[in-house]
Amino acid sequence: MGLRDIVSGVESREKTLTVYAPSDALADAVRDYFASQNVRVVHEPVADPADARVELSDDDGERVASVDVRAIEELVSGRADRDFGDTPPYRAILEGLDKTTFTSYDRTQMMRASREVEDRAWRVGEGQLVAGFQRLSTFETQHDAYSLLADTGLDVHVYGAPDADVDAVGTTVHGVDSSEIRETWFVAFDGGPTPTQKCALLAEERERGEFYGFWTYDPDTVDRVFDAVTGNPNRPTA
């Protein structure tokens, strides 16, 4: 299975957030908050505020999670901390949206999203990190950041079409001349000694400068990304 196949597979599984509330104001706020993700938001009116809640269901209609509306109000208001380590009350919704695709990210947004994976790898400080920036010339601006990552003890591998000579200290650079490498952007971390730390970002450039993809903390999906990149989920090939 190739990288683009993985994106398509995730994209086909649209999830639904149903907001049970007296008015549609919260549903509108939730819709705005998740506007860049492949999730459908619907409003179901309830007469009794005690029945208010937000439920997440998968593409088969099975309920994945249900949380109190106050937790979602905190999330969409911008007051919330999305760090899962703090165990916020809306955690079940965010975890349920793991592997939900995002739409139309530009390069700046992709860089920011990449930092989420890189930061986790940095904190663990061991294991394997693979990254593809489409072309090696794109990676040139990331030399210093990736040298610091490699200094932690991480086994760092970077992939891209060989359009520039790149020599990043401590980082293994792979020049790969293939359409899949040129048209996708990925950063994946194998979790080092802790499988629960696995995470990945994967996106496909479908329009010039516009990326469609997902981020995930699901170990099996991360392994599939590694496998598509390297031919082996545990060790990159030269």
Side-chain angles (χ1 to χ4, degrees):
M1 177 180 290
L3 293 169
R4 286 174 291 199
D5 295 329
I6 297 173
V7 173
S8 296
V10 171
E11 187 176 25
S12 68
R13 299 191 294 272
E14 182 186 57
K15 294 181 179 178
T16 300
L17 275 170
T18 303
V19 180
Y20 296 90
S23 75
D24 60 0
L26 180 58
D28 288 341
V30 170
R31 194 173 290 110
D32 289 343
Y33 186 84
F34 290 107
S36 66
Q37 290 182 255
N38 183 33
V39 59
R40 188 168 65 102
V41 179
V42 298
H43 172 238
E44 288 289 343
V46 293
D48 188 348
D51 294 329
R53 64 194 184 281
V54 176
E55 292 186 351
L56 178 68
S57 56
D58 60 22
D59 57 321
D60 294 325
E62 294 293 325
R63 189 173 70 177
V64 175
S66 179
V67 300
D68 186 272
V69 292
R70 287 173 296 182
I72 296 300
E73 287 171 345
E74 179 186 3
L75 177 64
V76 301
S77 70
R79 301 190 304 269
D81 183 355
R82 291 188 64 155
D83 184 352
F84 281 6
D86 292 340
T87 316
Y90 45 81
R91 174 177 179 173
I93 293 294
L94 293 183
E95 287 189 331
L97 286 172
D98 179 28
K99 293 189 297 180
T100 298
T101 50
F102 56 76
T103 60
S104 193
Y105 269 26
D106 60 23
R107 291 187 178 277
T108 298
Q109 289 171 304
M110 288 300 300
M111 283 292 188
R112 290 172 181 166
S114 296
R115 293 290 178 262
E116 296 290 330
V117 179
E118 295 161 1
D119 287 349
R120 178 173 288 210
W122 168 271
R123 290 194 298 269
V124 174
E126 55 182 306
Q128 190 176 98
L129 179 74
V130 296
F133 293 100
Q134 301 183 286
R135 298 166 181 81
L136 293 183
S137 58
T138 304
F139 175 68
E140 287 184 306
T141 61
Q142 304 301 308
H143 283 188
D144 292 344
Y146 271 70
S147 292
L148 290 173
L149 285 166
D151 283 345
T152 66
L154 288 164
D155 180 21
V156 181
H157 293 252
V158 170
Y159 294 77
D163 66 336
D165 292 327
V166 176
D167 183 20
V169 177
T171 298
T172 303
V173 177
H174 304 264
V176 181
D177 191 11
S178 74
S179 61
E180 184 151 83
I181 290 295
R182 290 192 302 270
E183 295 169 10
T184 61
W185 182 312
F186 58 87
V187 184
F189 173 51
D190 74 352
T194 311
T196 55
Q197 293 292 336
K198 291 184 180 185
C199 55
L201 165 74
L202 171 61
E204 177 183 4
E205 187 177 22
R206 295 180 180 170
E207 301 291 339
R208 186 173 179 82
E210 293 186 357
F211 295 84
Y212 298 76
F214 66 93
W215 58 87
T216 182
Y217 303 93
D218 175 65
D220 290 340
T221 306
V222 175
D223 284 346
R224 284 198 292 273
V225 173
F226 266 90
D227 192 37
V229 172
T230 70
N232 184 300
N234 298 309
R235 187 181 302 278
T237 58

